[in-house]
Amino acid sequence: MVTLSDEDRLLFDAAEKVRARAYAPYSGFSVGAAILADDGNIYAGCNVENAAYPVGNCAEPSAIAAMLAGGGTRIEKIFVTGPGTAPVTPCGGCRQRIREFAGPRTPIICLGVEGEPLFTTLAELLPHSFGPEFLGRQP
Ligand code: THU
């Protein structure tokens, strides 16, 4: 893998640590997400599947919930890790969930742990997006 910055390495380590605790018995596809929040802390979450498949949830909302519970309010950067060689990019629903707490230039790093990271941004993954300011709420 390319050499990560110290900050990105901390996020990668946190995402991998929590990925090991993912509950993914149905897909076998364990995902970890780590957020650097506006309070300077790192918050991590994993996917949590369910026998009733549609009610399972992704790693990203788990990390967002951990951020809010821990006192963070904004996503400064998010790192997502999963299996394989292709970068594990947030699903469409998760892009919108990240949008609620991030800006267009917020870095999103996506990694399949056997491959190379994709360094992208929220605006690249979710262009022309709808968000809180449309409802009069400023971030
Ligand atoms: N998954 C995530 O947790 N995050 C993503 O960004 C992509 C997909 C999970 C959902 C499901 O538990 C498994 O990966 C397979 O789709």
Side-chain angles (χ1 to χ4, degrees):
M1 205 203 324
V2 295
T3 305
L4 297 173
S5 70
D6 289 349
E7 183 176 276
D8 291 352
R9 169 60 60 174
L10 288 173
L11 287 167
F12 167 72
D13 288 346
E16 278 297 278
K17 186 174 177 188
V18 75
R19 190 165 82 86
R21 300 180 186 147
Y23 180 74
Y26 305 105
S27 71
F29 196 88
S30 296
V31 181
I35 291 169
L36 175 63
D38 54 341
D39 63 358
N41 290 320
I42 291 175
Y43 298 100
C46 56
N47 54 335
V48 184
E49 297 185 345
N50 193 281
Y53 292 178
V55 302
N57 64 271
C58 288
E60 294 88 335
S62 297
I64 290 170
M67 175 185 80
L68 294 171
T73 63
R74 297 287 297 170
I75 298 170
E76 301 293 344
K77 186 184 279 190
I78 180 166
F79 201 127
V80 182
T81 64
T85 54
V88 175
T89 50
C91 76
C94 286
R95 295 176 194 201
Q96 185 66 36
R97 291 182 178 92
I98 293 167
R99 166 68 168 87
E100 188 72 16
F101 303 103
R105 286 182 295 278
T106 302
I108 301 179
I109 305 166
C110 310
L111 178 68
V113 292
E114 292 168 51
E116 294 297 322
L118 169 69
F119 294 87
T120 186
T121 63
L122 179 61
E124 284 181 344
L125 292 182
L126 194 68
H128 307 292
S129 64
F130 183 85
E133 64 276 13
F134 284 76
L135 301 175
R137 183 172 165 74
Q138 297 309 316

